[in-house]
Amino acid sequence: MKIGELSRETDVPVRLLRYYEEQGLLASRRSPGGHRHYGPEAPAAVARIRALLAAGLPTRVIRELMPCFAGDGTELQACVLDHIETQMADLDSRIADLTRARTALGEIHRASTRTLAAAGAGTAPGDRGDRPST
């Protein structure tokens, strides 16, 4: 199947399919005229790539996981589950960091709002507070 056909079948832009190939995630063979041709497994490979990208995995990790699929779906062989668990732990850590940052920012916002209200500053959110008072 040609790249345009794969794009239509998977609803993935041609540009992304080329990128996946550049990253070593998708394989094609070239015709004598230089056109890309994909095998019958390509739509399933694209679906796997999309699923792993949606799960937040970087392309370097996806490249390592591509040969490790069991069956036609997104199920991976047991030998790489440790790798997936490491990625999940990394996500958990990043979520915790973002949650702490969100909490700290919320506290700053609440304190600032209270201070402005107590001072009767009358500034609307987003105002810089540099208007001359009347």
Side-chain angles (χ1 to χ4, degrees):
M1 118 180 10
K2 292 183 180 178
I3 195 166
E5 296 170 288
L6 182 59
S7 174
R8 283 187 295 282
E9 185 170 328
T10 60
D11 201 28
V12 174
V14 167
R15 176 184 56 82
L16 279 179
L17 295 174
R18 287 186 188 120
Y19 175 75
Y20 297 161
E21 193 170 341
E22 287 172 15
Q23 297 299 306
L25 307 177
L26 187 62
S28 71
R29 58 180 170 70
R30 297 292 183 126
S31 71
H35 297 287
R36 289 174 171 90
H37 288 274
Y38 298 92
E41 74 289 343
V46 171
R48 290 172 173 161
I49 293 165
R50 301 296 286 174
L52 294 171
L53 286 169
L57 296 178
T59 56
R60 65 176 171 71
V61 172
I62 295 171
R63 184 175 40 253
E64 295 171 14
L65 297 179
M66 288 304 286
C68 302
F69 282 96
D72 294 333
T74 57
E75 300 82 20
L76 290 162
Q77 297 170 5
C79 61
V80 294
L81 292 182
D82 285 346
H83 196 61
I84 294 295
E85 290 167 4
T86 299
Q87 293 295 318
M88 289 182 350
D90 180 53
L91 282 174
D92 289 341
S93 176
R94 289 169 39 202
I95 290 167
D97 289 345
L98 286 171
T99 300
R100 283 190 292 276
R102 174 66 171 89
T103 299
L105 189 58
E107 290 170 7
I108 291 168
H109 182 264
R110 282 187 295 283
S112 299
T113 303
R114 282 192 304 269
T115 300
L116 288 173
T123 57
D127 283 353
R128 294 187 316 219
D130 57 358
R131 291 190 218 158
S133 45
T134 53

